[in-house]
Amino acid sequence: MNDPTAPRGNDAVENEPVEPALDADDVVARVLASADSKAAGYSLFRSGSAQALQTQASGEYDGSDHDGDQSERADRNALRRVGGLSTELEDVTEVEYRQLRLENVVLVGVYTHGTVDDAENSMRELAALAETAGATVLDGLLQRRATPDPSTYLGKGKAQEVADIVKALGADTVIADTELAPSQRRALEDVVKVKVIDRTAVILDIFSQHAKSREGKAQVELAQMAYMLPRLRGWGDSMSRQAGGQVGGTGAGMGSRGPGETKIELDRRRIHTRMSKLRKQMVEMKPAREAKRANRKRNSVPSVAIVGYTNAGKSSLLNRITKAGVLVENSLFATLDATVRKSTTADGRLYTLTDTVGFVRNLPHQLVEAFRSTLEEVADADVIVHVVDGSHPDPVAQLATVRDVISEVGARDIPELVVFNKSDLISDDDRLVLRGLEPKATFVSARTGEGIETVLTAVALLLPTPQIELDLLIPYDRGDLIAVLHDQGRIEATEYVEAGTHVTAFVTLEIEPQFAPFVILSALSA
């Protein structure tokens, strides 16, 4: 067996000894544990603490009382995947059971710049994505090249090494840590002899599993169609309906000559038709969303959007604050559909909290486009609560990734409150480092409740406050106006006199006109 550390032309690769795994259930440990498998010597991950998923012992959110009824979790786990079904290209059997398949995968990646630690963090995140999609990660190979090979993504020598790893471990899928060109995918499949997919395909698969609402399913299907369109391919003559000049010689006879249309062209036309239909459906759903937003704006209800990296704890934070009962699970992209719940500040002002879809590095562009309607909740928010996993080894990358997407939807100018979640897993030294990254950030733990009150206080300070002062005399039969002042304004003083309720309050520009008949003239003249 060749030494994988030996350079082969431009195929130089980082390789260090692998430490034994401590936790067999840890996705990273499974990758590292492959050193003592049949393919020992091929494992190219160094030992490290970078993890995208957490173990129960390290603080996994386990559905506490504040998370509410987690019945959706039982529904999601009702159909479990099983092992023993092969997806090798040479012998694809049991096709009807492929939805249940537990795939054994090997990860491959090429990094052209940055440090090896950054590349390994990205690969470990890919391993977590594969786990969430329903696969078992057996091994991984990481290669340093000036540029990815235009033919097979990996260099020729490393592509052959991947084929040897696949054969030794019995893997049936190879996942590349990038978005492969269709030609690269086909060429690499020809070498490794098993199915090859890329990072984008894994993310789309997770989204298709977790989408629940009608709009969410339409958004995911649209993204899948956009991804699939340039990657259609035929299988020899079985995919051809074209009849050329040679067709008569093959026995097709008269009437079969002339131009035709391939099946692949029919498939492309069907995809375009389906994408057009999905876009029309999403346009039809837009008025309902806008009506809800207009109702909140008309009533001057401020909105707070919770954004952040996937698995940072956004849903857990929403549950802790509002007891919303949103699904909480130790997996990537556990929740996709936006959830809106109401809350109030300490002084009685009403506002809404919106849980949005999580982000990840190299988020496929077609997903950003498909979920733009969901991300509109972020663009229309008055305050953004940016949740960061404080226990993650690379919080800087999380901050940068989320802020890039926020900028794409035009929400960079909205006031932002950075919240480092999972503070129960953060050491004092790590807190000092994180404080250096974001001096005004707040440390919270959605699991223990630490820092929740601090976050609510900070949100209340960032919310827009009524600025117009009015001196009002409201008749006793107009209690509805008093309720409006409590919900949407700020009452400074109240006095009950014979003619009605004398109120000094601050209101917003939107609700000021309805109080005009009750303004005391002395206040206007002053």
Side-chain angles (χ1 to χ4, degrees):
M1 183 178 296
N2 296 331
D3 182 5
T5 62
R8 184 175 298 164
N10 292 329
D11 300 341
V13 64
E14 301 288 345
N15 183 22
E16 292 189 12
V18 179
E19 297 179 1
L22 299 178
D23 185 357
D25 292 330
D26 187 355
V27 56
V28 179
R30 270 196 292 276
V31 174
L32 301 177
S34 60
D36 54 8
S37 67
K38 291 183 294 181
Y42 278 116
S43 182
L44 303 179
F45 283 120
R46 299 188 307 165
S47 61
S49 61
Q51 297 181 10
L53 300 179
Q54 293 180 332
T55 61
Q56 181 72 26
S58 65
E60 175 187 338
Y61 297 120
D62 51 2
S64 304
D65 293 339
H66 58 80
D67 287 326
D69 183 11
Q70 295 287 301
S71 58
E72 186 180 344
R73 182 185 299 168
D75 295 339
R76 180 171 293 180
N77 294 333
L79 187 63
R80 304 304 301 173
R81 294 169 182 261
V82 297
L85 300 178
S86 173
T87 61
E88 293 186 8
L89 297 182
E90 295 178 352
D91 181 23
V92 180
T93 58
E94 306 288 352
V95 176
E96 64 273 21
Y97 297 112
R98 294 183 76 183
Q99 185 179 1
L100 296 173
R101 138 193 98 202
L102 180 64
E103 298 184 52
N104 297 317
V105 303
V106 172
L107 312 180
V108 296
V110 172
Y111 67 106
T112 60
H113 59 275
T115 65
V116 66
D117 291 332
D118 294 336
E120 288 180 354
N121 282 333
S122 179
M123 289 286 282
R124 288 186 171 91
E125 184 174 273
L126 179 63
L129 288 168
E131 286 283 318
T132 302
T136 299
V137 178
L138 301 180
D139 207 338
L141 182 146
L142 190 61
Q143 182 183 18
R144 178 64 183 259
R145 287 176 60 94
T147 57
D149 189 283
S151 175
T152 56
Y153 178 58
L154 298 169
K156 181 178 179 181
K158 288 298 172 281
Q160 186 57 50
E161 287 186 14
V162 172
D164 294 340
I165 294 174
V166 167
K167 186 174 181 180
L169 295 179
D172 48 25
T173 303
V174 173
I175 304 178
D177 190 23
T178 187
E179 183 169 337
L180 294 176
S183 59
Q184 289 177 320
R185 179 178 172 182
R186 289 194 297 269
L188 191 55
E189 281 184 346
D190 291 340
V191 176
V192 300
K193 304 301 182 183
V194 296
K195 180 180 66 175
V196 175
I197 60 176
D198 54 23
R199 185 187 186 95
T200 301
V202 177
I203 295 175
L204 288 172
D205 184 79
I206 296 172
F207 272 53
S208 65
Q209 293 181 50
H210 293 178
K212 296 297 180 184
S213 69
R214 179 169 172 260
E215 184 176 10
K217 291 179 180 178
Q219 290 169 332
V220 172
E221 186 178 354
L222 181 61
Q224 288 177 317
M225 293 286 185
Y227 173 79
M228 185 190 308
L229 189 59
R231 291 171 173 80
L232 291 177
R233 62 178 180 177
W235 290 91
D237 293 338
S238 65
M239 290 297 289
S240 176
R241 287 182 178 173
Q242 288 182 341
Q246 297 280 339
V247 72
T250 61
M254 292 184 295
S256 60
R257 299 175 180 82
E261 186 174 33
T262 60
K263 290 182 182 179
I264 199 169
E265 287 298 329
L266 291 174
D267 290 340
R268 287 195 182 104
R269 181 154 22 106
R270 289 192 187 102
I271 289 177
H272 280 297
T273 302
R274 181 59 180 167
M275 290 175 67
S276 177
K277 184 177 179 180
L278 288 171
R279 291 192 180 100
K280 289 179 181 178
Q281 289 179 358
M282 293 171 65
V283 169
E284 292 171 357
M285 299 173 193
K286 190 173 183 178
R289 295 193 308 270
E290 291 181 343
K292 294 177 182 178
R293 293 195 190 111
N295 189 44
R296 293 198 295 263
K297 290 179 180 179
R298 183 172 61 253
N299 294 323
S300 300
V301 180
S303 62
V304 177
I306 303 177
V307 304
Y309 214 75
T310 180
N311 211 39
K314 300 181 297 300
S315 299
S316 299
L317 184 62
L318 179 68
N319 288 343
R320 171 64 73 170
I321 295 174
T322 66
K323 293 182 172 59
V326 178
L327 174 69
V328 172
E329 194 172 40
N330 183 26
S331 64
L332 307 188
F333 301 112
T335 52
L336 301 181
D337 302 314
T339 302
V340 182
R341 293 292 184 271
K342 68 178 181 179
S343 186
T344 55
T345 62
D347 56 359
R349 285 178 291 152
L350 183 69
Y351 66 95
T352 61
L353 277 167
T354 304
D355 180 23
T356 61
V357 63
F359 306 134
V360 72
R361 74 179 76 194
N362 301 324
L363 188 66
H365 179 71
Q366 55 263 39
L367 274 180
V368 177
E369 288 299 318
F371 277 78
R372 189 164 294 277
S373 59
T374 300
L375 297 175
E376 287 174 2
E377 294 287 350
V378 179
D380 291 340
D382 296 288
V383 178
I384 292 176
V385 176
H386 184 170
V387 181
V388 182
D389 182 356
S391 64
H392 194 274
D394 193 8
V396 176
Q398 287 199 2
L399 283 164
T401 298
V402 175
R403 283 173 173 166
D404 286 344
V405 180
I406 290 175
S407 298
E408 282 190 46
V409 298
R412 198 65 189 94
D413 295 331
I414 298 175
E416 176 191 37
L417 173 63
V418 177
V419 173
F420 287 112
N421 193 22
K422 306 181 184 180
S423 61
D424 52 315
L425 306 178
I426 307 174
S427 66
D428 293 338
D429 292 340
D430 290 336
R431 288 188 183 230
L432 289 175
V433 175
L434 295 174
R435 182 67 70 186
L437 291 176
E438 292 290 335
K440 297 181 180 180
T442 303
F443 290 87
V444 303
S445 172
R447 186 167 181 257
T448 65
E450 174 194 348
I452 297 297
E453 292 301 325
T454 304
V455 170
L456 295 177
T457 301
V459 168
L461 293 175
L462 291 174
L463 287 173
T465 57
Q467 300 293 332
I468 303 173
E469 183 177 7
L470 296 178
D471 193 14
L472 305 170
L473 183 61
I474 300 177
Y476 287 119
D477 61 351
R478 294 303 308 270
D480 58 314
L481 294 179
I482 300 295
V484 171
L485 288 176
H486 279 288
D487 289 340
Q488 304 174 35
R490 188 174 78 248
I491 296 178
E492 296 293 321
T494 303
E495 181 183 1
Y496 299 99
V497 298
E498 183 177 354
T501 306
H502 181 201
V503 180
T504 302
F506 287 88
V507 299
T508 61
L509 185 63
E510 289 79 8
I511 65 174
E512 180 190 14
Q514 59 186 305
F515 293 98
F518 309 104
V519 175
I520 299 176
L521 296 179
S522 59
L524 291 177
S525 62

